[in-house]
Amino acid sequence: MNLKILRKDLLTHNTEGLIVGRFEGRNDNPLMKQLNHALDGVLSNAMKCGDFKGRINQTALFYSGNKISPQRVLLVGLGNKREFNLEKLREVSGTAAKALQKLGAKTISTTLPQILEDIFTRQEMGQTVVEGTLLSLYSFDEHKTVKKDKAKDVKTLNLVMSLRDKGIAKLEKGAIKGQLISEGVYFSRDLISKPGNVATPSHLADEAVKMAKGLGIKATILEKSDMEKLKMGSLLGVAKGSCEPPKFISLEYNGGKKTDRPYVVIGKAITFDSGGISIKPSAGMEEMKTDMSGGAAALGTIKVAASLKLPINLIAIIPSAENLPSGSACKPGDILRTMSGQTVEVVNTDAEGRLILADALTYAERFNPQAVIDLATLTGACVIALGHHATGLLGNNEGLKHLLLKAGEDSGERLWELPLWDAYKKQIKSDIADMKNVGGRDGGTITAASFLSKFTTKYHWAHLDIAGTAWEKKGRSYVPKGSVGVGVRLLIKFFENELGIEES
Ligand code: BES
Ligand code: MN
Ligand code: ZN
């Protein structure tokens, strides 16, 4: 996508679609007045008829004939001005871009930053408008032999400021940042969209190495034999039912001082979760190709951190395996010895995520981390508890959880905390091993996190259950149907808040 920041008079600006925002109940957008006048009042007519009120995400399209240079004017509703925020700006940017994309517009121009200067900084606006636009236009057609008509793709996004405008540098800075962040989300979405027969653990490792090259990220791939040496018994236990070899991906980005303790982000990457011997029902099982969404988020996050040159040390760890039933698969009742030395009775082979995470969490100890954050499509129970609008948050450190909640609000990738009280630990007591891998149906997300907590005693840790937020069933403004790429924007915002990176 071509991004341009222009200073132009709207009436003579050549574009296939001009986006103009309107708050509900406020007739205070001077651009709209100017266009309305040039178009003999058609915009105000739409309001008089009641067809367009300015409700959030409402749109109305006008064809301008030969009266002005833009071919189309798209009004987009911004809703109540007092309730307007960056997430809503991202949404309306996505809604407008999508509406014009559907019409086949190749060059689109937005005027939104011109009228929002009293609410947001220029950098925030640049970043958010670009994020909303790019994220809404995402599609995945790698496996369609009849490709959609690429000639119809939106090729250029103009951010149009007025002729008298003095400084567009900050807007540009924000726009570039928005583009780099969106590229990280695209990277993550692509990996998640790929089917299980393509995105195997080996494929993820290859993609991780390719991405790391050129960004100054050090990549290490541990093979099965390395995992055996490290005694990663629970990860190997999950992997052994499949012919696909497991991979343990570890990426290191050193943007901070040598002495800065690193952050570690761990992502669950089960490239297909059939449930194993405790096999899942067949209806909907195809969705389990997305069970590597946590790993994809970790990869997307380190890609963005390196592209933005964030001054932090960051390590991404992605344990990856396929969970299948076979003659060599782990069976209910089997006991695995984790890298930590603790033993686990596998009561249900479908609770495999926590098993691969256990060894990754132990491996993270060697980095003396400042904090460890794991992301995982871990429990169906989280979808029952929170639906699809919030990621579950649990952890052992109040400060870390607080900062993550804040980043969730700021990024629009919201989190909701569940308790991690000791009382829940009773549910995962085993008669014959140190613990069992399931704690019954009640409080399933919490007992899963309780299990993980047995491997996180040496550092500050937070767990993000993204089972309900990784996949979008219907499609909404800037999140098309399919993979969301959740977690990337959240964690980048978290690091920025931590660093006190000011946006002006
Ligand atoms: N990958 C699933 C969780 C999941 C479910 C993710 C729905 C996305 C959508 C996980 O490995 C799993 O199967 N969990 C079991 C745990 C149970 C056996 C204790 C579940 O939630 O049913
Ligand atoms: Mn499972
Ligand atoms: Zn799973």
Side-chain angles (χ1 to χ4, degrees):
M1 170 83 69
N2 241 324
L3 283 182
K4 286 187 197 150
I5 322 284
L6 307 171
R7 276 184 293 217
K8 276 267 159 118
D9 175 30
L10 294 184
L11 303 184
T12 57
H13 171 52
N14 281 317
T15 182
E16 289 166 58
L18 186 71
I19 297 162
V20 179
R22 170 73 150 81
F23 284 110
E24 194 169 358
R26 292 181 80 119
N27 187 21
D28 60 357
N29 182 349
L31 308 178
M32 189 165 154
K33 285 184 192 152
Q34 186 193 6
L35 290 162
N36 190 44
H37 184 72
L39 294 173
D40 295 338
V42 287
L43 305 186
S44 52
N45 284 345
M47 305 214 55
K48 274 184 214 140
C49 297
D51 291 6
F52 180 82
K53 293 195 165 66
R55 279 198 302 269
I56 186 91
N57 286 312
Q58 194 181 16
T59 56
L61 179 71
F62 303 87
Y63 294 92
S64 40
N66 293 325
K67 290 184 183 128
I68 57 175
S69 300
Q71 282 175 23
R72 307 174 183 91
V73 173
L74 183 79
L75 285 186
V76 61
L78 308 179
N80 186 323
K81 187 164 185 181
R82 262 170 295 134
E83 288 166 16
F84 201 68
N85 56 25
L86 287 172
E87 172 64 3
K88 292 199 167 133
L89 176 56
R90 203 176 285 113
E91 274 182 25
V92 295
S93 302
T95 302
K98 247 198 128 86
L100 290 169
Q101 179 199 40
K102 279 206 188 105
L103 301 170
K106 290 178 287 294
T107 299
I108 63 175
S109 304
T110 182
T111 61
L112 287 172
Q114 279 199 51
I115 59 152
L116 300 172
E117 293 230 78
D118 54 330
I119 319 183
F120 308 120
T121 67
R122 291 200 151 203
Q123 193 176 327
E124 278 173 341
M125 289 193 290
Q127 178 184 336
T128 309
V129 168
V130 169
E131 277 179 10
T133 305
L134 293 185
L135 295 178
S136 75
L137 299 179
Y138 174 82
S139 68
F140 180 77
D141 65 355
E142 210 174 284
H143 300 289
K144 296 241 190 215
T145 57
V146 182
K147 304 276 180 201
K148 73 174 197 308
D149 190 355
K150 288 267 185 228
K152 279 193 167 172
D153 271 356
V154 177
K155 299 247 162 47
T156 304
L157 169 67
N158 296 314
L159 275 60
V160 191
M161 301 305 280
S162 88
L163 271 174
R164 277 163 311 192
D165 197 272
K166 285 186 212 73
I168 53 174
K170 290 273 167 62
L171 203 60
E172 184 155 36
K173 193 172 166 204
I176 292 168
K177 190 170 156 195
Q179 187 167 30
L180 291 172
I181 291 174
S182 303
E183 280 167 8
V185 177
Y186 270 43
F187 181 71
S188 183
R189 284 183 181 175
D190 278 349
L191 291 174
I192 300 165
S193 304
K194 290 179 186 178
N197 61 332
V198 174
T200 57
S202 306
H203 180 83
L204 288 191
D206 290 347
E207 289 294 311
V209 169
K210 245 198 282 171
M211 179 269 285
K213 264 190 199 153
L215 278 172
I217 298 172
K218 185 179 144 202
T220 313
I221 309 296
L222 301 185
E223 304 296 336
K224 188 172 161 229
S225 55
D226 302 311
M227 295 176 222
E228 279 160 358
K229 274 180 217 134
L230 288 162
K231 300 198 160 73
M232 293 180 160
S234 54
L235 169 49
L236 289 165
V238 172
K240 76 192 180 124
S242 168
C243 300
E244 290 293 338
K247 301 278 166 172
F248 192 93
I249 304 165
S250 169
L251 302 182
E252 270 181 63
Y253 162 66
N254 292 309
K257 296 197 213 79
K258 267 217 164 70
T259 49
D260 290 347
R261 291 166 71 195
Y263 291 94
V264 175
V265 174
I266 300 179
K268 167 181 172 182
I270 292 293
T271 56
F272 187 74
D273 181 12
S274 70
I277 297 290
S278 317
I279 199 160
K280 287 180 182 295
S282 49
M285 201 202 271
E286 71 282 1
E287 205 188 298
M288 282 301 121
K289 70 171 186 180
T290 68
D291 211 18
M292 34 59 73
S293 297
L299 290 172
T301 301
I302 199 165
K303 174 174 158 62
V304 175
S307 322
L308 296 178
K309 301 194 169 65
L310 291 187
I312 52 165
N313 295 329
L314 173 63
I315 292 164
I317 297 176
I318 299 99
S320 186
E322 196 176 46
N323 188 22
L324 292 186
S326 77
S328 61
C330 178
K331 304 171 292 297
D334 284 1
I335 294 180
L336 302 174
R337 192 183 170 88
T338 64
M339 184 181 176
S340 72
Q342 300 175 92
T343 55
V344 180
E345 180 188 4
V346 179
V347 169
N348 188 320
T349 64
D350 197 10
E352 83 298 336
R354 63 199 78 182
L355 295 173
I356 69 165
L357 288 172
D359 284 342
L361 289 163
T362 302
Y363 186 82
E365 286 174 7
R366 68 184 53 207
F367 299 108
N368 184 25
Q370 183 163 167
V372 176
I373 301 163
D374 79 75
L375 302 106
T377 45
L378 204 64
T379 63
C382 195
V383 190
I384 303 298
L386 302 175
H388 301 281
H389 305 293
T391 290
L393 166 70
L394 303 99
N396 64 12
N397 182 270
E398 294 306 315
L400 177 62
K401 282 186 293 188
H402 174 79
L403 287 164
L404 282 164
L405 284 165
K406 165 88 172 59
E409 291 299 325
D410 291 348
S411 64
E413 296 191 335
R414 289 192 287 184
L415 314 177
W416 197 257
E417 189 183 355
L418 297 170
L420 192 57
W421 297 323
D422 273 346
Y424 290 95
K425 285 214 176 94
K426 275 198 210 111
Q427 285 175 239
I428 53 167
K429 276 202 169 136
S430 163
D431 292 334
I432 112 160
D434 296 338
M435 67 195 92
K436 56 183 180 182
N437 75 333
V438 291
R441 278 168 56 83
D442 303 344
T445 304
I446 304 173
T447 52
S450 302
F451 180 95
L452 297 180
S453 76
K454 303 243 186 205
F455 303 87
T456 63
T457 52
K458 304 234 166 80
Y459 45 67
H460 294 169
W461 158 73
H463 162 62
L464 303 176
D465 194 327
I466 57 171
T469 48
W471 187 254
E472 169 61 42
K473 285 209 169 77
K474 296 195 201 92
R476 58 188 153 93
S477 62
Y478 65 89
V479 188
K481 191 169 152 182
S483 57
V484 177
V486 75
V488 178
R489 291 189 306 104
L490 167 82
L491 291 180
I492 293 301
K493 193 70 202 165
F494 164 80
F495 294 131
E496 287 185 341
N497 287 349
E498 273 281 74
L499 293 163
I501 290 181
E502 284 291 315
E503 294 187 338
S504 51

